[in-house]
């Protein structure tokens, strides 16, 4: 298995991977141009795992100069529980640290038991004393 940075040329394959899971995609940020803009601003912190030239996992991560944020971590069903997710997240940690970032955040559906256990194993803590808030600035179409 090879881990390398995610490029916009991976978009179709990565998008196909995301479609298989409940990733909380929307029509603007997760469009080709949305992902291209994200990668333009964050070229070094998103990764894919490749097995025999096929994408077996992907993670989208960026930062704003202060905090890192992880999106859409996904491993193909046939390769789950092979530590690919762990390796992708470790790459993200190293990439963020290399850019001077000391903190990273993510959101995971409360009812995603496997996802929540995975993030706990990766060292993420629930911030029970904070309320997650969000406001759409344009009308978004969400694909669960
Ligand atoms: C969550 C996900 C990214 C984990 O990736 P993975 O490569 O399968 O996970 P790893 O093999 O690296 O597992 C690392 C640890 O996570 C935990 N974990 C992973 N999958 C789990 C599952 N199905 N149930 C319980 N714990 C799980 C375990 O503690 C595991 O360590 P262990 O095997 O030593 O106990 C992957 O299962 C996935 O893509 N799921 C669907 C999409 C998703 O839910 N993404 C996360 C939401 S943001």
């Amino acid at each position: 298995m090879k881990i390398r940075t995610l490029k916009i040329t991976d978009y179709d394959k990565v998008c196909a991977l995301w479609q298989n899971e409940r990733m909380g995609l929307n029509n603007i940020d997760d469009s080709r141009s949305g992902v291209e803009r994200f990668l333009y601003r964050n070229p070094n912190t998103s990764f894919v795992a490749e097995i025999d030239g096929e994408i077996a996992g992907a993670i989208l991560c960026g930062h704003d100069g202060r905090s890192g944020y992880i999106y859409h971590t996904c491993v193909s069903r046939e390769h789950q529980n092979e530590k690919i997710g762990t390796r992708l997240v470790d790459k993200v940690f190293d990439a963020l640290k290399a850019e001077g970032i000391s903190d990273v955040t993510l959101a995971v559906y409360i009812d995603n038991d496997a996802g929540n256990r995975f993030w706990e194993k990766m060292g993420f803590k629930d911030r029970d004393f904070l309320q997650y808030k969000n406001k759409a600035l344009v009308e978004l179409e969400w694909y669960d």
Side-chain angles (χ1 to χ4, degrees):
M1 187 193 47
K2 178 178 154 193
I3 299 207
R4 61 165 176 79
T5 51
L6 192 160
K7 309 279 182 211
I8 192 59
T9 46
D10 298 312
Y11 179 80
D12 288 339
K13 286 182 176 177
V14 168
C15 222
L17 188 68
W18 291 339
Q19 304 299 332
N20 285 335
E21 303 290 346
R22 195 170 158 223
M23 295 272 85
L25 307 178
N26 75 54
N27 61 320
I28 295 181
D29 303 317
D30 299 305
S31 65
R32 182 182 293 271
S33 61
V35 172
E36 186 164 30
R37 184 173 62 166
F38 183 84
L39 295 176
Y40 178 75
R41 291 170 60 101
N42 297 280
N44 307 317
T45 49
S46 296
F47 298 93
V48 293
E50 269 185 336
I51 298 177
D52 298 330
E54 290 301 314
I55 290 180
I59 188 165
L60 204 54
C61 176
H63 69 82
D64 56 14
R66 177 188 169 111
S67 292
Y69 204 98
I70 291 174
Y71 304 89
H72 303 349
T73 309
C74 196
V75 174
S76 67
R77 293 207 175 163
E78 63 265 43
H79 289 295
Q80 288 180 7
N81 296 306
E82 295 175 8
K83 299 287 185 238
I84 293 173
T86 301
R87 289 186 58 187
L88 286 167
V89 173
D90 283 341
K91 285 292 280 188
V92 155
F93 290 164
D94 288 346
L96 288 174
K97 281 194 257 180
E99 298 199 9
I101 300 300
S102 54
D103 179 72
V104 59
T105 299
L106 60 87
V108 52
Y109 288 112
I110 287 170
D111 62 0
N112 183 348
D113 293 335
N116 275 290
R117 257 175 286 172
F118 171 72
W119 290 118
E120 195 179 322
K121 185 80 186 268
M122 296 310 301
F124 285 75
K125 303 267 182 267
D126 293 345
R127 306 281 303 246
D128 294 336
F129 52 94
L130 295 175
Q131 180 66 51
Y132 177 79
K133 292 197 190 298
N134 175 254
K135 176 176 165 57
L137 300 177
V138 295
E139 202 168 319
L140 293 173
E141 199 178 316
W142 289 93
Y143 315 115
D144 211 30

